[in-house]
Amino acid sequence: MDWKTQYQEKLRTPAQAVQVVRNGDRIYAGTSSSIAYPLIDALYQRRDELEGVVLCHGMINRQLPIFTPEAKGHFSTTTYFAGAGCRTGIQNGLTTFTSFHLSQIDLWCREVARPNIAFLEVSPPDEEGYMSYGAYGTTFHDYVRELAGTVVLQVNPNAPYVYGEKNKIHISQADIVVEAADQSDMVPNLPLDETLETLSSHIVALIPDGATLQLGLGGISNAVGFGLREKNDLGIHTEMYTDSMMELTKLGVVTNRRKSFLPGKAVTSFALGTRALYDYVDHNPDFHFAPFSFVNDPYTIARNDNMISVNTAMAVDLYGQVAADCLGGKQQSAVGGQVDYVRGAQMSKGGKSFIALTSSHKKNGVSSSRIVSSFPAGTAVTTARSDVQYVATEYGCVNLKVLTMGDRARALISLAHPDFRDELTEDAKRLGLLP
């Protein structure tokens, strides 16, 4: 049977497709820029018929009904990365969170998610009947497919077709197909202010020509990316490909030709950004999309000479511990790949790892320091003090790795906003860090 016939025979509406779900089923429904929203919506319409269904996912930013009290008893969810929607589910007692490094994503799939049904968003099929896993799915969706007994594909004309490894699925490997046009979740490029530009300049000054980059999520990492316009022959090896990387490539700053590992290719696991970014990666042979288990493996990362990792934080304490995903008992995101890249970059020949944050932030008109003597109760440490290398704010950039604990405290106080330095100095004395 030819693939086009198989496709037509398996084609259903979303409402028909979700009829395969039974009480107690565990469904993987997607992450970030590859989420099967139309199938989730259709499934929710069956809520009065279902009990104990668990949806497994990551970084859902939309406020979906499955995260509201009305879903209790019918649906619960579990996530490995808390987006805005997930945080609502956590607050309502409907969503559980599991922390791990993205390089260990197979552990989450096998031991936590344990899906027996997979809702996978994919691109339209190519001439051989293969569909790409889209902007995010190469991360681990092929592994989910192997675990699940039933595979439902959501074919989205807006999902890009990406090249790499474990990046596609054939129609013969699916049980059901639905066609549903949906816009992938997008992240706009926010305007850069003077603080972010100053902060990024301290990091950019330490990045040599020919370096290979990983940039994390958020405005600071984006500022660093856009601040690299004057560099030459940069390369990309990153879990997340962003708009700033696309712009550097279009400008000829990123060429990937001086990479020591997979030269000529931008290596990534997923793309997250604007519509222009998704269009850019679509059918682009200059990319190598691959699973987290490969791209985020610290030993793989370290194969890139002059590997530069830039990640952000919500707070750093005077010991050099980093809180980047859970502050004061509130889960904001996830450990993600931060520790993978902090370690991998430092293992690289000539590599550097940066943790970047603004020195302070303002809420309800009150300023507070992001350099702190101690974290609020309920805060989880994302990156241990023994892993941290460079820390940067708008007041400078220091290498903590080579410093004693006392000198480390002094250096971090120098990165704090001047309004908080005296208080931090007194706190450091009480902690025994300073005489």
Side-chain angles (χ1 to χ4, degrees), residues 225-259:
F226 285 115
L228 290 166
R229 292 187 179 94
E230 302 305 316
K231 300 292 182 177
N232 299 289
D233 283 332
L234 299 178
I236 301 296
H237 184 111
T238 183
E239 68 185 49
M240 177 179 67
Y241 193 88
T242 63
D243 279 73
S244 64
M245 297 176 185
M246 174 181 68
E247 292 303 321
L248 290 174
T249 305
K250 290 180 177 180
L251 290 171
V253 176
V254 167
T255 64
N256 293 303
R257 64 189 175 197
R258 287 175 60 179
K259 291 177 64 184

Side-chain angles (χ1 to χ4, degrees), residues 6-20 29 35-43 117-125 131-132 150-159 171 174-182:
Q6 292 184 60
Y7 185 97
Q8 290 301 319
E9 289 186 350
K10 296 177 180 181
L11 190 60
R12 303 287 188 275
T13 66
Q16 291 171 332
V18 299
Q19 294 298 317
V20 299
I35 299 173
Y37 285 119
L39 284 170
I40 296 173
D41 292 342
L43 181 62
I117 298 175
F119 290 171
L120 303 177
E121 181 177 86
V122 294
S123 72
M131 291 151 280
S132 166
T150 301
V151 176
V152 182
L153 299 184
Q154 176 181 289
V155 179
N156 183 357
N158 295 311
I171 183 60
D175 298 289
I176 298 171
V177 175
V178 302
E179 294 178 337
D182 187 38

Side-chain angles (χ1 to χ4, degrees), residues 32-334:
S32 184
S33 44
S34 295
I35 299 173
Y37 285 119
L39 284 170
I40 296 173
D41 292 342
L43 181 62
Y44 188 75
Q45 297 306 311
R46 291 191 59 208
R47 62 190 178 279
D48 292 337
E49 307 169 24
L50 297 169
E51 294 180 356
V53 175
V54 179
L55 273 77
C56 314
H57 57 83
M59 200 178 178
I60 291 182
N61 286 316
R62 300 185 196 181
Q63 297 294 337
L64 303 179
I66 59 169
F67 298 128
T68 64
E70 289 72 22
K72 190 172 184 179
H74 307 291
F75 302 106
S76 63
T77 88
T78 187
T79 186
Y80 65 91
F81 198 111
C86 310
R87 293 194 290 272
T88 299
I90 292 172
Q91 292 165 8
N92 288 329
L94 290 164
T95 301
T96 58
F97 172 80
T98 305
S99 182
F100 63 95
H101 305 303
L102 285 182
S103 57
Q104 302 169 326
I105 190 69
D106 60 316
L107 177 67
W108 182 81
C109 294
R110 185 177 63 253
E111 302 292 340
V112 181
R114 308 188 311 277
N116 62 297
I117 298 175
F119 290 171
L120 303 177
E121 181 177 86
V122 294
S123 72
D126 61 20
E127 64 279 0
E128 296 179 341
Y130 285 95
M131 291 151 280
S132 166
Y133 285 122
Y136 191 93
T138 303
T139 56
F140 63 92
H141 288 188
D142 202 57
Y143 189 63
V144 169
R145 173 193 62 80
E146 293 175 351
L147 288 173
T150 301
V151 176
V152 182
L153 299 184
Q154 176 181 289
V155 179
N156 183 357
N158 295 311
Y161 192 109
V162 302
Y163 298 122
E165 58 184 278
K166 295 188 180 296
N167 59 310
K168 58 189 178 181
I169 181 172
H170 193 264
I171 183 60
S172 61
Q173 296 172 300
D175 298 289
I176 298 171
V177 175
V178 302
E179 294 178 337
D182 187 38
Q183 287 296 332
S184 301
D185 283 354
M186 291 180 274
V187 176
N189 293 305
L190 300 176
L192 302 181
D193 60 24
E194 184 178 353
T195 298
L196 290 182
E197 289 180 344
T198 300
L199 194 167
S200 67
S201 69
H202 298 312
I203 297 174
V204 168
L206 295 173
I207 298 177
D209 289 343
T212 295
L213 304 175
Q214 176 262 332
L215 301 177
L217 185 65
I220 294 175
S221 295
N222 222 30
V224 171
F226 285 115
L228 290 166
R229 292 187 179 94
E230 302 305 316
K231 300 292 182 177
N232 299 289
D233 283 332
L234 299 178
I236 301 296
H237 184 111
T238 183
E239 68 185 49
M240 177 179 67
Y241 193 88
T242 63
D243 279 73
S244 64
M245 297 176 185
M246 174 181 68
E247 292 303 321
L248 290 174
T249 305
K250 290 180 177 180
L251 290 171
V253 176
V254 167
T255 64
N256 293 303
R257 64 189 175 197
R258 287 175 60 179
K259 291 177 64 184
S260 53
F261 179 62
L262 292 179
K265 297 287 186 181
V267 177
T268 188
S269 281
F270 71 98
L272 180 62
T274 62
R275 182 68 245 172
L277 178 69
Y278 301 139
D279 292 340
Y280 183 70
V281 302
D282 183 49
H283 289 92
N284 190 331
D286 294 332
F287 283 87
H288 183 84
F289 280 74
F292 284 142
S293 57
F294 171 78
V295 175
N296 277 41
D297 184 333
Y299 292 97
T300 301
I301 295 165
R303 295 175 71 178
N304 296 286
D305 292 347
N306 298 308
M307 182 73 209
I308 302 295
S309 167
V310 181
N311 287 287
T312 56
M314 294 184 287
V316 175
D317 73 6
L318 293 179
Y319 293 93
Q321 300 179 114
V322 175
D325 70 296
C326 176
L327 194 67
K330 295 182 179 180
Q331 189 65 48
Q332 297 294 328
S333 54

Side-chain angles (χ1 to χ4, degrees), residues 334-347:
V335 170
Q338 181 170 121
V339 178
D340 292 330
Y341 278 90
V342 164
R343 292 174 176 170
Q346 293 179 59
M347 290 161 57

